Amino acid sequence: MLDTPEAVFEALRENHERPHGLPRTVTAEELAEAAEAFEKPDVLVTALLELMTSYEFTGEHRKAPVVFARLLKLWDTAPESFSEWEAHQVYWRFKWVTTSLIQVPDVPLATIGGWIDRMRERYEAGGHGPQPVAAMRHHLAAHTGEGAADTYDLWITRPRTDLSDCEACETRNMAGHLVASGDDAAALDAWAPVLGGAQSCSEEPQSSQARALLPLLRTGRTDEARSHHLAGYRRVRGNTGMQQEVGLHLEFCALSRNEGRGLEILAENRALFEATGAPLARLHFLTGVEVLLARIAAQGHGDATVAGPPGRTWTADALLKHVRAEAEPLAAAFDRRNGTTAVGDRRRARLEREPLLAEPLPLGLRTAVVRPAAAPGTPETPAGAGAAPAVAVTVPEDFVELVHEARRLSGAGRPSARRLWERIAERLADGSAPDPHDHRLGPRELLDAELADHRADRHGVAERKAEFSAELGRAAELFGRAGMPWHALASRARALAWGTDAPETDEGTDGTTRADTAAATADETAAALEAVLAEAERLKEEAPFTGERPGAGETASSAHSGNEVGRERVLHYLMVLNAAAFAGYHEVLRGLPEPDGTAVARYEGFRERLLAEARRLSVPHQAANARQYAADLAGRRRDFETAETELRAALADVEESGRPWRGTRPRCLLAQILLARHEPAEATELLHQAIGDAVRHDDVDFPMAPTYAMLGHACSHLGDFGGAVRHLSEAAARHDQDGEREEATDVRLQLADVLARSGQQADAVAVLESVLADEAAAGLDERMLAQARLTLARGLRELEEFLPAAEEFLRLADTVAGWEDDRAVLTLVAAEAAITLALADRWDAAATAHDRAVAAHAEAPNPPMLAHMMREFARLTVAARGEEGVDAALEQLAAADALLAAVPEGDDLDFALWYEQGSVHYRRARVLAEGGRFPEALEAIEAAIAAHERGGEEGEVPRAEAVRIAALIEGNGLERRAAAVTRLAAAAARCRTAGLTEAADILDGLRQDFQER
């Protein structure tokens, strides 16, 4: 019941704690109405201030001036009803009214100017400086486009007063003026204190983060743009008081080529279409929507379903038309009011902007709409690789010329041949090709054989073994009929080596084991390969190789007359040997860690033969293949020295071969080896070069996504967190594009870890939220999602978003409760949930979670986690209840003592028992000191020091902290400063001996303080 002033005040206090939004605003309106019933106006003053606050932060700018007019009347008639703080707020909120009036086009310009004059008069009468008034004049001038420069100078040259906007808001407005002046670099310099976290308020940094996005893109600072989008958008999402900022994030998505992300933001902010209380902010929002939708329509997706005003289904085209129909007249209304074209001009400038990047900026987020794959023949720019883009592949229009060019590139081993073969297949399929058996193309069967070989390659990349073997078998038959035995033999060998799968079942129907079946299959493959090798020897005898180094440019096209040159015979002979070596390598690989001796001998024989013949016949890229097999097996056995030696030799072979595109994979493998040896610097260089070469030579089969992921990993080990974020984001986007959802999720978990370690916790949370969105999480591995949720919950807690964090912990606890094979996880999660609920001041729920953690611990012990929970409960209980909470806190610590006392000491513990016990004593000392029980506190901290002594060198740091607390208890609580000084001097000397300079300095500083006192 709101029948007394006290009841209304209490309700106002409760409402003030609620987040801004419609429920809080409605309640504020009800309370203002209730406050009018009392004779003393002090309740109404407080209620009106609360109502005005609700309007300000939910974008109800049409209503705020009316409320302020009532406040001013009370100020003039009953000033004694205002507390000192409330009196200050009257002056402060003159500024709110000015900005509210600017927001509404129905308010005449003269009225706004008159209001600013009235504000000046009130400020002068109250003895306040003119700087806030000058700021309001500049805001109006910047809005109308007239006199902005002059009013800016008048504003910033006036000294700040206690009624000036906070430094963060003033920084935003200064930077905004510089952006409007066309100086992005100067604006970003001005913004540095806000964007860097040195200045903040309830509106900042999220408001500046949105405004700085395009200047950051325009100046090439894309990493910062990504970060401010991720962190800033979370803070404005769904906020009706931040419509303009949401619109700027939509525009950023469109101009950074992240239209899919933009559509998701649109869906998350559908309610903003119904927020009409701040017309100027609404215009900014609608313009951002229009920029996004125009991009989508321009890409030919106007019929795509998008989120718009509730109540109907929208396509991009329909919503674009609807938004324009409202935004155009609204902009015109402002210009009519202002007598200028400034608002319309700014809107048109936004709509005319083209994307600021050539490729989508990787954001690291999972989005429902992924980036489109590049069109055939379109060059790609390697993201962050620092390499030149590929030269677009020339695709001849003449069909005969097209086939000859494809054969030339294939003969040279160039990856770009793939695009041409695909075009040939397309033209044959759609009937746009002439007779494929044109005599200029060689034997009738040749083109069919080559296309079958190309299809086999595609199946091989996709690991479709049966289709791969079938197409190579077809190619071998056609090459044979075309009179090309070496081509046929190479196809047969490849089908044998690459087309054999290991058995999928552990036991066959006849009782044979998987190992037996695998061995039999390997023996059959080896026998078939031996027959192919024998056939190769027979062909060599019929037409011996000359052994000369092949000339550049010799290709399969010379076979059209039936006369194979030595170049082709050599290459196909070595393909046969490579197939045998690969089959042997694969057989050994399946047998690791202890492969069969026969398999190893077979592999070694095949590999040595390939290496020797490749060197003899001057085909170094095949020698590189032989070395890569050896390097990979050595690396898997953790013989990194051998692996590195072989890979460096392989890269030398590639260099000699004149085929640089063949160096991409050995470089990646060498980078893996170097990372395993903790040498990330060279690994990073190798990966950059591999990506650059793959792009430059149009190797579309190169595994870009895993390589970018490895590059991000390498950068993180170098401490280059910006590079790590960039490359991991790119890897995640490419996994999305390839439909590899679990791989993309795994990379995003790595990305979130890097972001958190680099201090970008809000960015990490944004990435994890995208992973755990309902649609994104569907069908993914439960354990992977559980890890993501745990990391998200901890990240939210780090951001002090305690209630959302607790909700994630509780949701996770319900998930892991069903894990019979890993019960200890529930203990950990329940304990973390309890701590987080206590941090959120939800003590009843925290107690329930606490009991759940204790029960889980009884089934699956986790002593350090439970002890940590109990220590945190003790700390937070005292923080919440003061001295009244001391006894309850001590009960928690006694329970922690009992818990740890039940742990048997020994070398097999996976945690430091001494540390946990010492930490309990430390917390007990702090609790007792809070309660003024200093003798007991000193006894407890002495126990903590003794416990940390047991930790040896590892215990020195916590011991030093315990000594610091002991000295504070002695010197301040017990007033025994001489004893404290003696203690601190000895501890500081001990720390210096242990190399703990910082700890020693802290202790010395406290000692000097006591001595001076």
Side-chain angles (χ1 to χ4, degrees):
M1 294 290 291
L2 302 175
D3 52 0
T4 66
E6 292 74 20
V8 174
F9 274 126
E10 181 60 31
L12 285 168
R13 277 192 290 270
E14 291 180 1
N15 198 46
H16 188 74
E17 296 300 317
R18 295 189 177 101
H20 288 292
L22 184 59
R24 175 171 171 174
T25 301
V26 170
T27 301
E29 290 173 335
E30 294 171 350
L31 292 173
E33 184 178 349
E36 291 188 79
F38 306 110
E39 292 183 4
K40 290 185 63 178
D42 57 339
V43 184
L44 183 57
V45 168
T46 305
L48 290 175
L49 285 168
E50 172 62 23
L51 179 57
M52 194 174 179
T53 299
S54 295
Y55 285 156
E56 175 71 16
F57 288 98
T58 53
E60 291 288 353
H61 291 281
R62 290 183 183 274
K63 299 178 180 180
V66 177
V67 178
F68 190 69
R70 296 174 66 188
L71 271 171
L72 270 186
K73 185 176 181 181
L74 287 169
W75 174 252
D76 290 335
T77 59
E80 72 281 356
S81 300
F82 290 74
S83 69
E84 183 178 349
W85 179 84
E86 289 169 338
H88 183 269
Q89 285 299 301
V90 171
Y91 289 107
W92 185 271
R93 296 188 187 199
F94 267 97
K95 299 180 297 181
W96 288 11
V97 174
T98 303
T99 54
S100 291
L101 295 174
I102 292 173
Q103 280 275 344
V104 183
D106 303 340
V107 178
L109 206 61
T111 300
I112 304 173
W115 177 259
I116 296 175
D117 289 340
R118 189 177 178 188
M119 174 183 171
R120 175 184 56 78
E121 292 168 0
R122 292 273 185 167
Y123 272 43
E124 287 178 353
H128 299 292
Q131 195 260 13
V133 179
M136 292 303 104
R137 295 199 190 282
H138 171 66
H139 293 337
L140 180 59
H143 169 68
T144 63
E146 289 192 337
D150 291 340
T151 55
Y152 178 79
D153 290 339
L154 287 172
W155 163 41
I156 63 169
T157 55
R158 297 290 185 274
R160 284 174 51 80
T161 76
D162 62 347
L163 288 171
S164 296
D165 281 345
C166 76
E167 287 186 314
C169 288
E170 287 209 335
T171 294
R172 176 185 71 234
N173 291 320
M174 290 176 185
H177 174 75
L178 293 168
V179 170
S181 302
D183 195 342
D184 287 338
L188 292 170
D189 287 344
W191 253 317
V194 173
L195 298 180
Q199 297 175 358
S200 64
C201 67
S202 60
E203 297 179 19
E204 293 294 348
Q206 61 268 31
S207 187
S208 287
Q209 285 174 319
R211 288 165 169 75
L213 291 172
L214 295 190
L216 286 166
L217 285 185
R218 287 194 290 261
T219 54
R221 293 162 63 171
T222 53
D223 290 347
E224 293 167 78
R226 175 197 301 108
S227 176
H228 290 308
H229 170 64
L230 294 180
Y233 171 67
R234 289 190 68 252
R235 301 187 66 174
V236 303
R237 178 174 55 200
N239 186 340
T240 55
M242 288 278 178
Q243 280 183 290
Q244 178 173 352
E245 287 76 7
V246 173
L248 291 170
H249 281 281
L250 289 169
E251 183 177 9
F252 164 79
C253 289
L255 301 185
S256 66
R257 298 186 183 272
N258 280 285
E259 294 86 352
R261 166 69 168 166
L263 289 177
E264 292 186 348
I265 290 176
L266 199 60
E268 290 177 334
N269 293 275
R270 201 172 187 183
L272 296 191
F273 283 104
E274 299 182 308
T276 59
L280 185 58
R282 180 174 179 80
L283 176 62
H284 285 298
F285 168 68
L286 294 175
T287 303
V289 173
E290 190 173 343
V291 171
L292 173 68
L293 295 175
R295 280 282 304 153
I296 291 169
Q299 293 173 334
H301 303 301
D303 57 351
T305 301
V306 299
R312 60 164 284 188
T313 301
W314 297 89
T315 65
D317 281 341
L319 183 58
L320 180 59
K321 182 178 179 181
H322 174 84
V323 167
R324 279 178 177 162
E326 180 181 353
E328 288 287 357
L330 186 53
F334 278 107
D335 283 343
R336 279 196 305 274
R337 190 270 302 272
N338 299 338
T340 68
T341 61
V343 172
D345 289 345
R346 285 193 287 267
R347 169 178 152 75
R348 285 183 286 275
R350 289 177 70 183
L351 295 174
E352 290 169 3
R353 287 173 181 149
E354 293 294 324
L356 297 169
L357 303 175
E359 297 288 332
L361 174 65
L363 299 177
L365 302 174
R366 191 235 44 112
T367 58
V369 183
V370 300
R371 66 170 72 171
T378 302
E380 179 181 356
T381 300
V391 177
V393 180
T394 301
V395 183
E397 280 298 318
D398 180 78
F399 187 73
V400 173
E401 185 182 349
L402 174 62
V403 173
H404 282 311
E405 179 64 8
R407 286 171 175 167
R408 184 186 73 79
L409 294 176
S410 294
R414 290 186 174 275
S416 52
R418 171 189 161 177
R419 294 197 190 272
L420 272 63
W421 287 115
E422 287 178 349
R423 182 58 184 151
I424 291 167
E426 288 170 3
R427 293 193 60 180
L428 289 171
D430 64 20
S432 64
D435 180 8
H437 300 135
D438 188 310
H439 68 90
R440 290 174 296 171
L441 299 178
R444 293 176 60 87
E445 298 84 1
L446 176 56
L447 184 56
D448 291 338
E450 290 167 326
L451 288 168
D453 188 80
H454 167 71
R455 290 193 297 273
D457 285 341
R458 309 313 327 126
H459 290 309
V461 170
E463 297 186 355
R464 296 187 289 265
K465 298 291 182 69
E467 294 89 342
F468 174 81
S469 296
E471 289 292 354
L472 280 177
R474 187 174 296 113
E477 179 184 353
L478 290 166
F479 279 131
R481 284 160 49 191
M484 302 171 69
W486 277 111
H487 289 72
L489 198 62
S491 295
R492 285 170 54 199
R494 290 172 62 212
L496 286 168
W498 276 267
T500 303
D501 271 319
E504 295 184 358
T505 57
D506 290 334
E507 187 171 327
T509 55
D510 58 355
T512 58
T513 66
R514 179 174 182 172
D516 292 336
T517 307
T521 301
D523 288 341
E524 291 172 8
T525 301
L529 283 169
E530 288 289 0
V532 169
L533 290 171
E535 177 66 10
E537 291 303 316
R538 186 187 67 77
L539 290 175
K540 279 174 58 183
E541 290 177 5
E542 288 183 359
F545 300 151
T546 60
E548 76 277 5
R549 183 174 181 81
E554 292 181 337
T555 71
S557 61
S558 58
H560 303 160
S561 64
N563 297 317
E564 295 184 350
V565 295
R567 168 66 163 163
E568 285 186 314
R569 296 202 306 272
V570 166
L571 290 177
H572 285 84
Y573 167 60
L574 289 171
M575 285 184 194
V576 172
L577 297 187
N578 184 41
F582 178 84
Y585 151 79
H586 206 256
E587 183 184 0
V588 173
L589 195 63
R590 286 198 300 263
L592 291 177
E594 296 182 6
D596 177 72
T598 302
V600 173
R602 190 152 51 205
Y603 153 70
E604 290 289 354
F606 287 148
R607 192 190 80 88
E608 289 299 330
R609 185 173 177 182
L610 170 63
L611 186 59
E613 287 292 86
R615 301 308 299 171
R616 181 179 73 83
L617 295 169
S618 300
V619 184
H621 71 265
Q622 287 289 12
N625 285 338
R627 296 189 189 281
Q628 285 182 73
Y629 300 144
D632 184 55
L633 291 175
R636 291 172 187 271
R637 292 192 297 266
R638 303 195 68 77
D639 180 1
F640 297 138
E641 185 174 348
T642 298
E644 182 179 351
T645 299
E646 290 288 353
L647 286 168
R648 293 195 187 280
L651 287 171
D653 287 332
V654 168
E655 181 70 22
E656 183 185 350
S657 74
R659 298 185 173 200
W661 53 86
R662 285 189 168 271
T664 55
R665 287 159 178 80
R667 281 193 176 87
C668 289
L669 189 53
L670 179 55
Q672 281 184 290
I673 298 299
L674 292 171
L675 284 173
R677 298 182 69 168
H678 308 292
E679 299 176 32
E682 186 181 359
T684 301
E685 294 176 8
L686 289 165
L687 292 167
H688 273 300
Q689 187 173 351
I691 291 170
D693 283 347
V695 171
R696 186 180 301 108
H697 299 291
D698 197 30
D699 186 356
V700 293
D701 293 329
F702 179 75
M704 282 287 188
T707 306
Y708 271 113
M710 197 185 338
L711 180 55
H713 182 65
C715 287
S716 72
H717 280 275
L718 277 176
D720 176 12
F721 292 117
V725 169
R726 192 178 315 124
H727 301 310
L728 289 170
S729 298
E730 179 70 23
R734 288 178 179 270
H735 278 308
D736 283 339
Q737 185 174 312
D738 295 338
E740 298 163 345
R741 297 180 64 226
E742 290 208 353
E743 291 84 350
T745 299
D746 182 63
V747 169
R748 287 192 171 97
L749 292 180
Q750 297 177 51
L751 172 60
D753 177 66
V754 169
L755 286 166
R757 286 192 288 119
S758 64
Q760 297 170 271
Q761 190 64 257
D763 301 34
V765 164
V767 170
L768 292 165
E769 285 176 337
S770 80
V771 167
L772 290 164
D774 291 342
E775 183 182 346
L780 289 174
D781 179 72
E782 183 182 56
R783 305 289 172 122
M784 180 183 289
L785 291 176
Q787 181 60 56
R789 198 172 298 285
L790 177 63
T791 309
L792 171 59
R794 288 171 171 169
L796 288 167
R797 187 172 61 199
E798 183 75 17
L799 294 174
E800 298 186 0
E801 297 180 28
F802 298 127
L803 270 180
E807 289 170 4
E808 295 296 342
F809 277 124
L810 293 172
R811 189 176 293 119
L812 180 58
D814 290 340
T815 297
V816 303
W819 291 3
E820 296 297 333
D821 60 332
D822 202 355
R823 304 295 295 166
V825 176
L826 177 59
T827 309
L828 179 146
V829 174
E832 296 223 40
I835 295 169
T836 309
L837 285 163
L839 285 165
D841 202 27
R842 297 295 194 270
W843 284 96
D844 290 343
T848 300
H850 176 286
D851 293 345
R852 186 179 191 182
V854 172
H857 171 77
E859 183 180 348
N862 189 338
M865 190 67 238
L866 261 290
H868 174 66
M869 177 188 73
M870 292 166 177
R871 292 196 302 269
E872 282 295 280
F873 261 62
R875 180 181 70 84
L876 294 170
T877 297
V878 172
R881 296 167 54 191
E883 288 189 27
E884 293 180 4
V886 168
D887 289 341
L890 292 174
E891 288 179 12
Q892 285 288 336
L893 295 170
D897 279 335
L899 174 84
L900 295 172
V903 176
E905 293 202 41
D907 295 334
D908 58 341
L909 293 179
D910 59 358
F911 67 95
L913 183 58
W914 60 265
Y915 175 79
E916 298 299 332
Q917 291 174 329
S919 297
V920 173
H921 292 311
Y922 173 87
R923 181 52 55 195
R924 180 178 289 108
R926 302 280 310 248
V927 167
L928 289 165
E930 287 282 343
R933 295 157 62 174
F934 298 115
E936 296 172 83
L938 184 59
E939 183 180 346
I941 204 66
E942 293 285 11
I945 294 170
H948 292 315
E949 288 272 7
R950 288 158 40 207
E953 290 184 9
E954 293 182 3
E956 288 298 325
V957 171
R959 181 189 183 281
E961 167 59 12
V963 170
R964 184 182 73 86
I965 297 300
L968 288 170
I969 293 170
E970 272 186 321
N972 292 336
L974 298 173
E975 296 187 355
R976 289 160 28 189
R977 293 190 180 89
V981 167
T982 301
R983 182 191 294 272
L984 288 165
R990 176 169 176 154
C991 285
R992 295 198 188 281
T993 301
L996 303 175
T997 305
E998 184 177 357
D1001 290 343
I1002 292 172
L1003 295 173
D1004 274 336
L1006 183 57
R1007 176 181 57 79
Q1008 290 169 10
D1009 180 57
F1010 279 135
Q1011 286 177 327
E1012 290 171 1
R1013 289 161 55 192

